[in-house]
Amino acid sequence: MFNDPNDGSRLVPYPSGALVPERDLGKTPILEVRHLGIDFGGLTAVDDFSLTIGRTEIAGLIGPNGAGKTTVFNLLTNVYQPTRGDILLDGYSTAGKTTAQVNRMGIARTFQNIRLFDKMSVIDNVKVGLNSSTKESFLACMTHLFGYRKAEKLAQEEAMRLLDFMHMTDVAYDEAGSLPYGAQRRLEIVRALATKPGILLLDEPAAGMNPSETAELMENIRKIRDTFQIAVMLIEHDMNLVMGICEGICVLNYGKVIAKGAPEDIKSNPVVIEAYLGKKKEA
Amino acid sequence: MSQKAIKLLGGSRPVDKNSAITVSIVVALFAVIEVLKGTGHISNLLSGLLVPICMYITLAVSLNLVVGILGELSLGHAGFMCVGAYASALFSLVTKEAIPMTWLRFLLAFLIGGAVAAVFGLLIGIPVLRLKGDYLAIVTLAFGEIIKNLVTILHLGVDKHGLHFSTESVAALRLAEDGRILIKGALGITGVPKSSTFEIGFVIVMITLLVSLNLVRSAKGRAIMAIRDNRIAAESVGINITTYKLFVFSLSAFFAGLAGVLYSHNLATLTANTNNFGYNMSISILLLVVLGGVGSIRGSVIAAIILTALPELLRGLSDYRMLIYSILLIVIMLFNASPKLVALRERVSPKNLIKRKKAQKEVQANV
């Protein structure tokens, strides 16, 4: 189940001490988060969150309910502006950018509660993802001239390729809202991939899936990483999935990082076990 | 890639057909009316309605861009029409002698009316589009009223010293002897050339229709509908919401301005009141959009034609006219929105009948 240590997935430290997979060592990390924190009124939701993710790393973010995992995703995509700390995406700070700008800089995400464009067709959902790379001016869109046809054809081909990648071409012209649950989750991933991200954030991608669907999802996540050579960071409660595909895992509790490391280390870490299961009663 | 996918890649998309049908309906109706006009089979009553029908189609389609495609409720559409009407009327009045060619003057009037309305749309859109839902509706309603009321008190004259403004009276303009009054407050603008014809109205309808239909089937159109369906997800895929909202709002205002130009060049005297530029008008346009189906451009066209012609055609009923009209509105609304009637309509629609027959044949073939 664990990653093969010979494919370069073994975690090794950067000079800064942050752990990344061996094969990503020589490159700038795709994401570098330093002492990130946010307060809502008097409540500190996330505090001193630091994390480094390698170029092609599959990273997991786990923790009990309410630990602040989704808040971290919202901070990374600037849905919330952080109170403290820095986020460096491919070496560039995302401070002060809008969510849309951060996406164009290279972070794409899915949502815990699926957020598709329900009334649009499946392929149109993907084309919306392609939007920022489609070269269609407002004038071209209104007249269907000035390079409209060429751009539309490219978008159509690209969208079909992406759908094919996740085996969704059969439902390309169905309404997105009418898809079964698992397919909706897959479509969200395709739409996120369409924005050509450097890192893909998946918020509970296996929620509500049965074991065989989860196994397929794990395959897909690996395939995405291998094909597009991007990093994937996922929030997940399904420990089989997390331990099966993640190279580095970060455990969050009460908004603070309580452990970081390879799956084997996390599994046997007493602090993590305590956070999930509670303290052992003294006999 | 699967066989089916390859077929879909090359094949035409169902949406294309839809737009073609809408455009064909409008062109066919135009042709029929032109023939009837040519053979003298059209009553005075109906021929007087032709330009207003074109105007209402333009207004309904353009409001549908905001309400149906962008998904924001605007109740100030008549305000933009008012701006377009006054700007173009003023232009035509001033340049009546300077530009003798009617077609050129009218073309410029359309461009000016549309552009000024679009600028107003942009200016109002910047603060207003931060709001959502009911709040946006109320604020746009207020803006529409402000525009109408400002126009009502506006006095404008010109003499050798230049332009004179006043919000009080004609006398307050203090014009020189040779001065000429352009806008007389509540009495409005007189002497605008009556250049609007059904043919020009048709051209305006076609422009509005084609641009709107094209936009919906394009990258930007998809982005706009994405904002409507899920704002947060749209942001997460890199769509700059403010840009798109402002674009749709000012495009819609531009077309409303064009409708205003048609309106102002179809009257001897242009004045602003509740029924033509106030909230009554805004609600009437919204009614067309809602009855035609929010988001359905073809629906807006059909609703505009029927509901504009209806009150006039019912004129024979005299006192009962508005009663019958209201009942018809309720019936159309039920027909469009009642779940059971919608289901019934879908069952008997020719498209579905063909589909069902095909499916039956397939089942039989498989057995």
Side-chain angles (χ1 to χ4, degrees):
Chain A
M1 208 61 174
F2 287 121
N3 294 295
D4 175 10
N6 297 326
D7 69 353
S9 65
R10 197 165 55 90
L11 292 187
V12 288
Y14 258 131
S16 64
L19 296 168
V20 290
E22 204 174 357
R23 62 172 182 277
D24 292 334
L25 195 59
K27 302 162 202 153
T28 339
I30 185 72
L31 191 69
E32 214 181 330
V33 184
R34 294 188 200 133
H35 313 293
L36 195 67
I38 186 169
D39 302 338
F40 295 116
L43 180 84
T44 301
V46 173
D47 197 26
D48 201 19
F49 180 86
S50 297
L51 186 70
T52 301
I53 296 181
R55 286 261 146 202
T56 58
E57 180 176 348
I58 298 180
L61 181 61
I62 63 172
N65 285 329
K69 302 182 296 292
T70 299
T71 308
V72 168
F73 270 21
N74 283 336
L75 285 169
L76 293 179
T77 51
N78 277 19
V79 172
Y80 302 142
Q81 301 293 333
T83 317
R84 298 171 291 279
D86 304 301
I87 302 164
L88 294 181
L89 179 64
D90 204 3
Y92 296 97
S93 170
T94 64
K97 299 273 195 277
T98 64
T99 305
Q101 283 169 328
V102 169
N103 171 263
R104 290 197 287 265
M105 285 175 73
I107 300 185
R109 73 174 290 187
T110 66
F111 296 88
Q112 190 178 350
N113 46 340
I114 302 172
R115 288 178 179 276
L116 286 171
F117 309 126
D118 290 339
K119 286 179 218 145
M120 298 166 68
S121 69
V122 168
I123 193 165
D124 278 356
N125 268 266
V126 183
K127 284 183 186 172
V128 171
L130 290 169
N131 193 66
S132 38
S133 59
T134 313
K135 300 258 180 305
E136 268 179 73
S137 63
F138 278 109
L139 190 66
C141 288
M142 290 192 287
T143 56
H144 282 199
L145 301 169
F146 310 107
Y148 163 84
R149 264 166 209 285
K150 202 176 151 203
E152 279 295 296
K153 196 166 160 253
L154 281 177
Q156 173 79 10
E157 286 168 4
E158 182 72 26
M160 269 299 179
R161 228 186 335 266
L162 285 166
L163 284 173
D164 191 46
F165 183 76
M166 293 287 249
H167 312 296
M168 294 189 77
T169 44
D170 294 347
V171 291
Y173 294 93
D174 291 4
E175 204 178 77
S178 72
L179 290 182
Y181 193 77
Q184 293 201 5
R185 286 223 174 270
R186 258 187 296 158
L187 178 56
E188 257 204 322
I189 295 177
V190 178
R191 184 183 66 189
L193 281 175
T195 66
K196 302 186 174 61
I199 178 167
L200 179 63
L201 308 181
L202 304 175
D203 199 343
E204 298 201 19
M209 284 189 177
N210 63 34
S212 77
E213 282 174 323
T214 307
E216 196 194 326
L217 175 72
M218 284 166 70
E219 267 322 299
N220 280 334
I221 292 173
R222 272 212 196 88
K223 206 169 88 178
I224 287 168
R225 194 269 313 272
D226 294 342
T227 314
F228 297 96
Q229 289 293 310
I230 60 174
V232 178
M233 182 176 178
L234 51 93
I235 294 175
E236 191 45 69
H237 285 296
D238 184 329
M239 283 307 140
N240 285 329
L241 186 146
V242 175
M243 296 299 165
I245 60 169
C246 292
E247 290 150 345
I249 294 176
C250 176
V251 190
L252 210 59
N253 197 19
Y254 296 113
K256 285 198 171 75
V257 177
I258 56 170
K260 270 193 275 193
E264 310 90 279
D265 306 331
I266 296 293
K267 256 187 168 173
S268 53
N269 188 323
V271 185
V272 176
I273 295 168
E274 192 194 310
Y276 268 91
L277 301 176
K279 217 171 198 161
K280 219 181 207 171
K281 255 194 192 145
E282 299 290 331
Chain B
M1 201 179 282
S2 70
Q3 278 302 309
K4 193 180 171 194
I6 289 164
K7 210 177 95 195
L8 287 170
L9 260 174
S12 69
R13 296 172 56 204
V15 199
D16 292 350
K17 228 193 291 174
N18 253 333
S19 318
I21 292 173
T22 310
V23 172
S24 318
I25 290 175
V26 175
V27 173
L29 278 176
F30 172 74
V32 167
I33 288 176
E34 279 298 297
V35 169
L36 287 179
K37 256 174 83 178
T39 53
H41 280 83
I42 255 181
S43 66
N44 274 340
L45 187 70
L46 193 59
S47 67
L49 275 179
L50 292 177
V51 173
I53 285 177
C54 292
M55 179 190 92
Y56 275 107
I57 294 176
T58 309
L59 286 168
V61 170
S62 59
L63 183 62
N64 208 346
L65 286 179
V66 174
V67 177
I69 310 301
L70 182 65
E72 296 288 2
L73 187 54
S74 163
L75 292 179
H77 210 51
F80 300 123
M81 180 193 169
C82 176
V83 171
Y86 267 77
S88 63
L90 204 56
F91 170 79
S92 293
L93 193 64
V94 172
T95 58
K96 218 179 197 171
E97 283 87 36
I99 309 176
M101 281 167 291
T102 315
W103 66 269
L104 179 65
R105 175 157 31 87
F106 206 29
L107 178 70
L108 288 173
F110 272 113
L111 290 177
I112 285 170
V116 174
V119 169
F120 265 75
L122 198 65
L123 290 179
I124 292 172
I126 290 169
V128 155
L129 286 174
R130 289 169 199 281
L131 301 170
K132 285 181 202 113
D134 306 345
Y135 302 99
L136 179 73
I138 291 166
V139 176
T140 48
L141 177 73
F143 266 109
E145 286 301 292
I146 289 171
I147 291 174
K148 186 208 80 189
N149 285 313
L150 279 181
V151 161
T152 317
I153 58 164
L154 183 68
H155 294 77
L156 182 66
V158 67
D159 63 12
K160 57 180 187 269
H161 303 298
L163 286 172
H164 294 249
F165 289 97
S166 165
T167 53
E168 282 156 23
S169 64
V170 173
L173 287 175
R174 280 193 234 104
L175 288 174
E177 284 292 308
D178 64 333
R180 188 170 153 214
I181 300 160
L182 298 173
I183 305 179
K184 277 181 290 197
L187 296 176
I189 303 180
T190 33
V192 181
K194 277 188 79 171
S195 319
S196 289
T197 61
F198 175 52
E199 287 74 20
I200 290 169
F202 170 73
V203 172
I204 297 299
V205 165
M206 285 306 283
I207 292 172
T208 311
L209 204 56
L210 285 174
V211 169
S212 305
L213 289 170
N214 282 347
L215 183 67
V216 173
R217 289 187 300 111
S218 71
K220 307 287 181 197
R222 288 190 293 268
I224 293 159
M225 289 186 285
I227 296 171
R228 171 195 70 190
D229 279 5
N230 200 316
R231 192 180 59 84
I232 293 171
E235 268 182 313
S236 86
V237 292
I239 292 171
N240 186 345
I241 294 191
T242 318
T243 313
Y244 285 96
K245 277 190 171 178
L246 281 178
F247 169 72
V248 177
F249 211 61
S250 45
L251 183 70
S252 165
F254 176 83
F255 291 134
L258 295 188
V261 181
L262 269 184
Y263 179 80
S264 64
H265 290 71
N266 195 38
L267 301 163
T269 308
L270 176 68
T271 58
N273 56 54
T274 312
N275 286 328
N276 64 359
F277 295 136
Y279 61 88
N280 271 6
M281 183 64 167
S282 291
I283 299 287
S284 299
I285 306 167
L286 187 65
L287 190 76
L288 302 179
V289 173
V290 172
L291 281 181
V294 173
S296 160
I297 288 175
R298 190 195 304 167
S300 293
V301 174
I302 296 171
I305 296 171
I306 293 179
L307 292 184
T308 313
L310 204 55
E312 299 300 324
L313 298 179
L314 290 176
R315 207 170 271 280
L317 298 167
S318 60
D319 290 350
Y320 298 102
R321 185 168 68 111
M322 286 325 281
L323 180 68
I324 303 281
Y325 179 72
S326 309
I327 290 172
L328 279 173
L329 284 188
I330 295 171
V331 169
I332 296 174
M333 191 67 97
L334 284 176
F335 184 71
N336 271 346
S338 147
K340 282 204 170 150
L341 280 172
V342 171
L344 177 75
R345 228 175 34 187
E346 270 169 16
R347 247 200 334 270
V348 298
S349 84
K351 200 166 50 183
N352 286 342
L353 281 179
I354 294 167
K355 228 187 249 170
R356 211 169 316 136
K357 271 204 182 129
K358 249 188 211 163
Q360 274 172 358
K361 257 183 205 163
E362 263 169 39
V363 169
Q364 278 167 358
N366 287 338
V367 170

